[in-house]
């Protein structure tokens, strides 16, 4: 029995490894010249940048975390998170609710008083349960935290009005500190939010791709790169998968590539399923990689909610995760800009994007243009699943259809879920458990 795995990102590679360990025959079909998907990294002139945005290894899933750390054993750096939000020229501790003391006094009062008023209103049953993400933010954090940070930041990253987004996904993904911690943070007693990420791992060498490579190692001979799947047909119980020039035959297929690409390769998909799939919302990503001479602040990454500062929603400092990812005397900065296909960011040239980020770094006093010694731009069409209010109905129709024709979906854009690396590996492990 041969299993063909469609897509060679972290999910496909982990699936292949676990199948191989069970003695099964697998082949991984990957469109790009290098496997790894969003977990690829590029080394160039002494700098190594993650090309799917800055990645770190963390999880509250002990089994999955142990697996990832075992994979990079001997090549692991551990870092204490030092993450901030850039707010009115200040660095506010992340998560925002744990950093209220860093706010100007007026904003601090606004945030804490609205937080407490909202708690009382919820307690009394005066506030109706939230029906969308916007209402959830106000209901959970109050008007102050909502308007100073949560709404502007979320609308910047999702490129979608919070009123049009569902809130079913927030648990475990948006930090919600205990009430005591929010009060402590407002009066200046330090607290730590999102504790399972407070210390994280990163490969010393090779960027996050070192994790993908370590997982892939035993199955490398079974990975076909440069195989962009355009057609999938089932003949007498066998699957024939083609990339226009060649075909591969398998007894079983498991899809880890985006469902949009899967359905486009199939014949006879009902129009209502095609429509549901076409209505699923996602964001693309531009990564602007900057190498500078000199140092950067001792920060892990920085959220930038204010649209006036620049298009970037987050900048990370990879050379603070590992000294091996930048040449001696240099530091690295990775700016992430989410966008949607065909929008103003998609139309910007690489030069324009670099200029925009270099100017932002100057304004934020993170780096002067004269320090810049390296720049590059990478674009990822599929970066984030956006949970609009029509998502539950649309995804159910797509999943039911794929299930009915015998194609399991595993991974971030196959399941079409906001899964981090740990969530993808968990899905793979559960796939075998099911
Ligand atoms: C900005 C950003 C930051 C992130 N940071 C973190 C982090 O810090 N920690 C963390 O745990 N997770 C993080 N993640 C999430 C992590 O990247 C994903 O969970 C994980 O990489 C998804 O793996 P996957 O294999 O499911 O999908 P992908 O990586 O998308 O893999 C899908 C693969 O399918 C291939 N493919 C597509 N179409 C075809 C086709 N037609 N034929 C053949 N192959 C095809 C693609 O080339 C790709 O290799 C981040 C994601 C983003 C966008």
């Amino acid at each position: 029995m041969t299993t063909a795995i469609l897509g060679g990102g972290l999910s496909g590679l982990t699936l292949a490894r676990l199948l191989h360990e069970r003695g099964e025959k697998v082949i991984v079909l990957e469109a790009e010249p290098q496997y790894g998907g969003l977990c690829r990294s590029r080394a160039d002139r002494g700098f190594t940048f993650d090309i799917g945005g800055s990645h770190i290894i963390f999880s509250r899933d002990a089994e999955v975390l142990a697996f990832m750390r075992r994979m990079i054993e001997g090549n692991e750096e551990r870092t204490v998170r030092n993450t901030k939000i850039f707010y009115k020229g200040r660095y506010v501790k992340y998560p925002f609710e744990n950093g209220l003391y860093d706010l100007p006094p007026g904003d601090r009062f606004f945030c804490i008083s609205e937080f407490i008023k909202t708690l009382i209103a919820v307690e009394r049953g005066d506030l109706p349960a939230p029906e969308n993400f916007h209402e959830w933010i106000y209901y959970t954090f109050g008007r102050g935290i909502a308007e100073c940070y949560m709404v502007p930041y979320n609308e910047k990253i999702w490129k979608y009005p919070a009123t049009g987004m569902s809130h079913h996904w927030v648990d475990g993904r948006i930090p919600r500190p205990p009430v005591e911690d929010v009060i402590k943070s407002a009066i200046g007693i330090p607290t730590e939010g999102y504790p399972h990420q407070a210390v994280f791992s990163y490969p010393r060498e090779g960027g996050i791709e070192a994790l993908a490579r370590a997982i892939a190692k035993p199955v490398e001979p079974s990975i076909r790169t440069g195989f962009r799947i355009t057609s999938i047909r089932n003949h007498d119980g066998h699957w024939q998968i083609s990339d226009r020039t060649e075909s591969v035959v398998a007894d079983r297929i498991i899809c880890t590539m985006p469902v949009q690409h899967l359905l486009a390769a199939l014949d006879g998909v009902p129009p209502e399923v095609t429509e549901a799939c076409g209505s699923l919302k996602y964001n693309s990503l531009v990564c602007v990689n900057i190498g500078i001479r000199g140092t950067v602040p001792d920060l892990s990454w920085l959220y930038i909610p204010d649209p006036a500062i620049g298009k970037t929603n987050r900048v990370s400092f990879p050379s603070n995760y590992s000294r091996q990812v930048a040449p001696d005397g240099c530091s690295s900065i990775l700016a992430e800009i989410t966008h949607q296909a065909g929008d103003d960011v998609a139309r910007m040239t690489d030069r324009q994007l670099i200029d925009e980020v270099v100017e932002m770094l100057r304004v934020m006093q993170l780096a002067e243009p004269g320090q810049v010694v390296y720049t590059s731009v990478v674009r990822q069409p599929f970066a984030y699943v956006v949970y609009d209010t029509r998502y539950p109905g649309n995804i159910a129709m797509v999943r039911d259809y794929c299930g009915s024709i015998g194609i399991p979906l595993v991974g971030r854009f196959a399941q079409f879920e906001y899964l981090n690396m740990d969530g993808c590996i968990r899905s793979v492990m559960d796939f075998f458990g099911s």
Side-chain angles (χ1 to χ4, degrees), residues 7-11 29-32 36-39 52-56 58 227-229 256-258 261 285 314 336 383-384 411-413 419-422 424:
L10 193 82
S11 303
L29 302 172
E30 166 55 45
E32 298 294 329
L38 286 169
C39 294
S54 174
H55 279 63
I56 57 161
F58 70 99
F227 194 102
R228 186 170 298 278
I229 298 160
T256 74
M257 65 183 188
H261 292 189
L285 176 74
R314 180 172 85 137
E336 293 166 11
Y384 287 102
R412 183 160 165 126
F413 289 103
L419 298 176
N420 276 329
M421 297 186 295
D422 62 339
C424 293

Side-chain angles (χ1 to χ4, degrees), residues 111-361:
C111 288
I112 193 67
S113 67
E114 292 296 324
F115 178 74
I116 291 170
K117 277 193 229 164
T118 305
L119 270 183
I120 296 169
V122 169
E123 211 48 44
R124 281 191 183 148
D126 291 347
L127 274 185
E131 288 189 356
N132 60 48
F133 185 39
H134 191 267
E135 289 177 8
W136 179 88
I137 292 173
Y138 277 76
Y139 183 92
T140 309
F141 298 104
R143 197 158 75 87
I145 295 173
E147 291 175 8
C148 290
Y149 171 63
M150 286 297 287
V151 172
Y153 181 71
N154 277 290
E155 295 204 336
K156 197 174 191 190
I157 186 170
W158 300 115
K159 298 287 178 296
Y160 207 79
T163 47
M165 286 179 71
S166 134
H167 65 89
H168 74 277
W169 56 277
V170 294
D171 273 341
R173 292 200 176 80
I174 295 188
R176 286 171 71 184
V179 175
E180 294 77 14
D181 281 13
V182 181
I183 296 169
K184 277 185 187 165
S185 97
I187 60 176
I189 301 173
T191 54
E192 207 51 68
Y194 220 30
H196 62 284
Q197 195 201 51
V199 180
F200 61 84
S201 299
Y202 190 75
R204 184 171 305 131
E205 277 182 30
I208 201 63
E209 189 175 306
L211 173 65
R213 280 183 183 272
I215 292 173
K217 200 160 182 239
V219 287
E220 265 194 333
S222 313
I223 303 173
R224 281 281 300 274
T225 53
F227 194 102
R228 186 170 298 278
I229 298 160
T230 53
S231 150
I232 302 166
R233 302 283 177 269
N234 191 313
H235 299 294
D236 306 326
H238 296 288
W239 294 95
Q240 189 175 344
I241 309 132
S242 312
D243 73 343
R244 282 189 213 286
T245 54
E246 252 187 283
S247 288
V248 167
V249 175
D251 307 291
R252 166 166 83 155
I253 59 176
I254 305 171
C255 176
T256 74
M257 65 183 188
V259 274
Q260 288 82 351
H261 292 189
L262 173 69
L263 293 198
L266 292 168
D267 250 357
V269 179
E272 62 279 15
V273 176
T274 305
E275 209 221 302
C277 184
S279 302
L280 292 170
K281 305 270 180 296
Y282 60 93
N283 274 341
S284 305
L285 176 74
V286 172
C287 296
V288 181
N289 305 320
I290 309 278
I292 62 161
R293 201 178 302 109
T295 56
V296 285
D298 177 29
L299 293 173
S300 306
W301 63 91
L302 198 51
Y303 295 100
I304 308 168
D306 184 355
I309 305 275
K311 296 184 186 305
T312 302
N313 47 282
R314 180 172 85 137
V315 282
S316 310
F317 304 94
S319 53
N320 288 343
Y321 308 168
S322 162
R323 270 310 313 159
Q324 307 296 316
V325 300
D328 284 347
C330 293
S331 306
S332 55
I333 304 173
L334 196 170
E336 293 166 11
I337 304 174
T338 54
H339 72 99
Q340 289 184 347
D343 67 6
D344 58 334
V345 171
R347 286 193 297 273
M348 286 172 79
T349 63
D350 288 1
R351 187 68 257 165
Q352 287 169 326
L353 288 160
I354 291 165
D355 289 348
E356 142 96 25
V357 170
V358 169
E359 172 57 11
M360 179 194 74
L361 297 176

